[in-house]
Amino acid sequence: MAGDSSDQHNPFADFIALQDEAARRFLSVIAPGAEPKLPEPADWPEWAEAAQRLQELWLELQREGAKKEVSTFPLPDPAKWAAMAEHWYQAMPLAEPEAQRRFWQDSFTLWETVLGQYGIATGIGEMKPGEAHLPRKDRRFADPRWSEQPFFALIHQTYLMMAEQAMGMVEAVEGIDEDQREQLRFATKTVVDAMSPAHFPLTNPVVLDRIVETKGKSLVKGMEHLLADLRRGQLTHTDPDAFRLGENIAATPGKVVHETPLYQLIQYSPTTEKVLKVPLVIFPPWINRYYILDLSPQKSFVRWAVGQGLTVFMVSWKSADKDMANVSWDDYIRAQIGAIDAVRERLGSESVHAIGYCVAGTTLAATLAILARRGEADKVKSATFFTAQVDFEKAGELKLFTQDAQLKAIAQLGESGYLDGRYMAATFNLLRGNDLIWSSVIKHYLLGEDYPAFDLLHWNGDTTNLPACWHRNYLRDLYHGNRLVIPDKLSADGTPIDLTRIETPAYVQAGREDHIAPPESVHRITHLLRGPLRFVLAGSGHIAGVVNPPGSGKYQYWTNDSAAPDLQSFMAGAAEHPGSWWPDWIDWIKARDDETVAAKGKRKPGGRGDKVIEDAPGRYVKTR
């Protein structure tokens, strides 16, 4: 009858049947017996609905691109990737006869080895699940589905072989210096990582299974995630609605007690009856938001330090806008001195303990040198440096972005007076592309997974803009020119900078796996400072190596009471300690001065007669 759908022509079903037949023919050769199952007729409407929604999203994506409103989006642009691949290909010896011969020889050997595991090339019979012993291992292909079928095993094993050969060719290129080789090494890894078969739906068995399981809904959800990120101009790593500033993140109680156009100064409320007489002022990096040190209560360094009896102040930097185009390093140094003086004046304290994290630690070193030159070094009782570099000769992969061509490009990006924080986020993500870019592409675009609620990833995506003048000069003078280590080569606020004048006791922390401030580079500060110094190497990297509370039970740290000329010598005589280094730090702080006072008066911000500006976390941290 006319109303019976079984008698009607169904083009969607015909399309599936054609795809099914093609897959059957291919798999009958490469994997006998492993045939895809045709979707049940009852499921066809859901597949059709998913296909229609994908088409709508694709058209929407095209419209968004035509508006040119997403030009700052830092995900790989196909045209840019093609250009990069072209330059990379020209620099590599891929067309050399010996390279070609080695490639094909290794390929045939690999294919014979891999297919032989499945009884295809050697005729040893059908392989039982889990029996394949593939020659190359990589955590990106750890899922058993990558090895259960020879098609996917061959694809990812061939990719890993090609990746090995490409990286090996970098070392064989002649006629380039070490800096150029390092640039080529980074470019090669970036291109090779992007080419992984895990990043394409048709060559990723996990993605294919998810598409079938969800009847195409995973692709729809992934496309929705992609479109949202394009509009946002940034990769999303975590649930954007999971955290609220002042509620479940950056929530340690306190008050904003001082404010300038560049920063707000937060004082946290004490939780002990007595507090150490010498207060602590923390200078976080202005490349990100300050609350990396005040994440969830269990991870908050601020909350922990307050609980140890410290009167804690935090500088919250303002995200740059066009009115901050001419803000320079001098302004940040003046800001540090101003914050130190504001804390001293507010509490009537002769000195402060100071912490500088990353770029703010580099700046703190310059600040200390200036105070020493001016005869005001006693304003700072001690200085702590979290993953901070002052000698940039061996500054790691970030130096790849500070060559003349890159500096010129960065100058163009900052023509509006500030550098969009999303570019910095993309740069840092590239340094760990598989973890911070491609894993997210697979999970949230290809598999359509929901975003997790992860405070650290939320902070990582909460970018800040940078003043163009500061950023340009910082890269040129420090990363490119390494001028900070040369006495009086740089000046700030009218005072020459000589780090060898610093006699302030210092606690220097580095992360063993830090890819932004390599520990070998951080350790070099010990060659310059002239006061008592304790160097501590923490397990993990730039963030987790710092944010490692005692209750986490994670990682370890190393200490060595003997002077060491370099990191290798330090480690040779170092003692390893389990867990967090925070208790070691507070013991060191108390050894500088353990005198206590009652936690009253202005030690309790916002009390009777104490005029404050607003509750923590303040306005500046919320400025976008």
Side-chain angles (χ1 to χ4, degrees):
M1 58 186 292
D4 188 347
S5 61
S6 63
D7 294 333
Q8 295 181 356
H9 180 68
N10 190 323
F12 187 74
D14 289 345
F15 173 76
I16 293 179
L18 287 171
Q19 295 294 323
D20 179 67
E21 180 61 24
R24 286 174 188 272
R25 290 183 179 181
F26 175 77
L27 288 177
S28 68
V29 176
I30 192 72
E35 299 178 344
K37 294 182 179 180
L38 185 71
E40 295 294 332
D43 296 334
W44 292 348
E46 290 186 69
W47 282 95
E49 182 181 351
Q52 182 178 353
R53 180 56 180 154
L54 279 172
Q55 184 180 23
E56 293 171 354
L57 290 169
W58 178 256
L59 293 174
E60 197 171 346
L61 185 65
Q62 299 304 305
R63 288 194 294 270
E64 290 288 335
K67 292 177 183 178
K68 302 296 184 182
E69 292 178 352
V70 293
S71 59
T72 59
F73 187 55
L75 281 178
D77 180 310
K80 293 180 180 178
W81 275 105
M84 181 178 181
E86 176 68 20
H87 291 308
W88 171 77
Y89 181 83
Q90 293 174 358
M92 297 290 283
L94 295 173
E96 294 180 1
E98 176 57 26
Q100 293 282 336
R101 185 197 64 78
R102 186 169 59 253
F103 169 75
W104 287 113
Q105 180 178 340
D106 290 351
S107 297
F108 286 131
T109 301
L110 173 70
W111 297 339
E112 184 178 45
T113 301
V114 171
L115 294 179
Q117 296 279 326
Y118 299 84
I120 294 174
T122 62
I124 60 175
E126 184 179 354
M127 184 200 75
K128 295 180 180 180
E131 286 188 354
H133 299 286
L134 302 178
R136 290 170 175 82
K137 305 293 183 182
D138 189 291
R139 62 187 176 91
R140 289 172 291 176
F141 309 107
D143 191 289
R145 283 168 284 190
W146 282 103
S147 58
E148 287 174 350
Q149 292 295 338
F151 174 67
F152 298 111
L154 192 61
I155 283 178
H156 88 263
Q157 287 291 303
T158 301
Y159 162 75
L160 291 175
M161 181 205 70
M162 293 176 64
E164 283 181 8
Q165 291 205 357
M167 295 305 296
M169 288 178 186
V170 172
E171 309 308 320
V173 174
E174 299 178 351
I176 60 175
D177 59 32
E178 189 54 36
D179 287 342
Q180 292 172 317
R181 191 179 307 280
E182 188 61 33
Q183 286 184 306
L184 184 57
R185 189 179 291 124
F186 179 80
T188 301
K189 186 177 187 306
T190 302
V191 171
V192 166
D193 286 349
M195 292 168 58
S196 168
H199 305 156
F200 303 93
L202 295 179
T203 54
N204 187 326
V206 181
V207 173
L208 289 173
D209 279 358
R210 180 65 61 84
I211 293 171
V212 173
E213 290 167 5
T214 64
K215 302 177 181 65
K217 293 183 180 66
S218 58
L219 283 181
V220 172
K221 196 169 187 179
M223 183 67 82
E224 290 173 342
H225 288 161
L226 172 61
L227 189 58
D229 281 358
L230 285 167
R231 288 169 174 162
R232 182 171 175 254
Q234 188 178 357
L235 268 171
T236 298
H237 289 98
T238 187
D239 181 355
D241 300 319
F243 298 99
R244 293 285 185 273
L245 290 173
E247 296 179 14
N248 57 356
I249 197 169
T252 302
K255 306 289 183 182
V256 176
V257 297
H258 179 69
E259 179 178 305
T260 76
L262 190 55
Y263 69 92
Q264 288 187 315
L265 185 64
I266 301 169
Q267 180 183 354
Y268 294 96
S269 303
T271 58
T272 55
E273 293 184 1
K274 287 186 174 293
V275 293
L276 291 171
K277 182 179 180 181
V278 180
L280 171 69
V281 58
I282 302 175
F283 298 108
W286 46 90
I287 292 174
N288 293 97
R289 308 286 176 176
Y290 83 81
Y291 62 85
I292 182 58
L293 296 175
D294 191 22
L295 293 171
S296 60
Q298 298 79 14
K299 298 178 183 176
S300 173
F301 177 83
V302 168
R303 186 180 292 265
W304 177 84
V306 169
Q308 300 301 308
L310 280 163
T311 302
V312 179
F313 291 80
M314 174 71 75
V315 167
S316 175
W317 303 103
K318 185 178 181 181
S319 181
D321 55 30
K322 60 182 177 60
D323 296 329
M324 296 172 62
N326 295 319
V327 168
S328 66
W329 203 30
D330 298 51
D331 295 293
Y332 284 103
I333 290 173
R334 281 192 290 266
Q336 288 194 344
I337 295 173
I340 290 169
D341 287 341
V343 172
R344 293 173 60 248
E345 181 179 352
R346 175 174 171 80
L347 300 184
S349 178
E350 294 180 358
S351 61
V352 303
H353 298 296
I355 292 177
Y357 192 164
C358 188
V359 62
T362 305
T363 305
L364 178 59
T367 295
L368 294 174
I370 288 173
L371 291 176
R373 178 77 66 130
R374 294 175 178 175
E376 300 175 349
D378 57 356
K379 289 183 177 181
V380 180
K381 174 73 73 171
S382 77
T384 298
F385 299 91
F386 290 171
T387 66
Q389 302 174 93
V390 296
D391 186 331
F392 290 81
E393 182 184 3
K394 302 293 183 181
E397 291 179 332
L398 275 179
K399 288 198 71 173
L400 300 172
F401 299 91
T402 63
Q403 303 304 312
D404 291 336
Q406 287 85 352
L407 293 178
K408 183 178 179 181
I410 290 170
Q412 293 174 344
L413 293 174
E415 288 178 351
S416 59
Y418 64 91
L419 184 73
D420 191 315
R422 291 173 294 181
Y423 285 104
M424 285 300 297
T427 299
F428 287 125
N429 286 346
L430 273 175
L431 297 181
R432 293 176 57 198
N434 281 328
D435 293 328
L436 296 178
I437 296 178
W438 298 115
S439 66
S440 184
V441 167
I442 294 171
K443 290 177 182 178
H444 307 307
Y445 296 169
L446 300 184
L447 294 174
E449 292 182 1
D450 291 328
Y451 293 108
F454 189 6
D455 53 2
L456 197 152
L457 286 179
H458 176 86
W459 166 85
N460 188 60
D462 192 1
T463 61
T464 56
N465 302 328
L466 303 175
C469 177
W470 168 80
H471 187 249
R472 180 177 61 251
N473 293 342
Y474 190 81
L475 293 181
R476 181 197 64 201
D477 292 338
L478 276 66
Y479 272 94
H480 191 61
N482 199 24
R483 298 173 183 173
L484 184 58
V485 294
I486 305 173
D488 297 344
K489 186 69 173 180
L490 294 176
S491 296
D493 198 27
T495 303
I497 299 172
D498 179 0
L499 300 184
T500 63
R501 289 176 173 265
I502 299 172
E503 298 181 357
T504 305
Y507 189 101
V508 179
Q509 178 270 339
R512 190 177 190 183
E513 300 169 18
D514 196 332
H515 61 287
I516 294 173
E520 298 86 352
S521 181
V522 172
H523 185 270
R524 290 187 171 206
I525 195 174
T526 65
H527 303 164
L528 299 164
L529 305 187
R530 297 293 182 259
L533 187 145
R534 183 168 180 79
F535 180 84
V536 171
L537 183 66
S540 198
H542 198 70
I543 303 301
V546 174
V547 185
N548 183 29
S552 70
K554 291 183 177 180
Y555 311 126
Q556 68 282 96
Y557 67 97
W558 292 265
T559 60
N560 186 342
D561 294 332
S562 301
D566 52 39
L567 186 68
Q568 185 177 0
S569 301
F570 170 87
M571 287 300 295
E576 181 177 341
H577 312 273
S580 172
W581 55 269
W582 293 7
D584 182 81
W585 173 80
I586 193 64
D587 288 344
W588 183 87
I589 286 289
K590 290 178 178 179
R592 311 278 73 76
D593 191 331
D594 62 357
E595 184 178 354
T596 60
V597 297
K600 61 182 182 179
K602 289 192 174 182
R603 295 276 176 165
K604 285 188 173 182
R608 181 177 297 180
D610 184 22
K611 186 178 180 180
V612 298
I613 297 172
E614 59 186 334
D615 290 339
R619 303 185 318 281
Y620 282 14
V621 73
K622 301 174 183 177
T623 303
R624 297 294 176 265

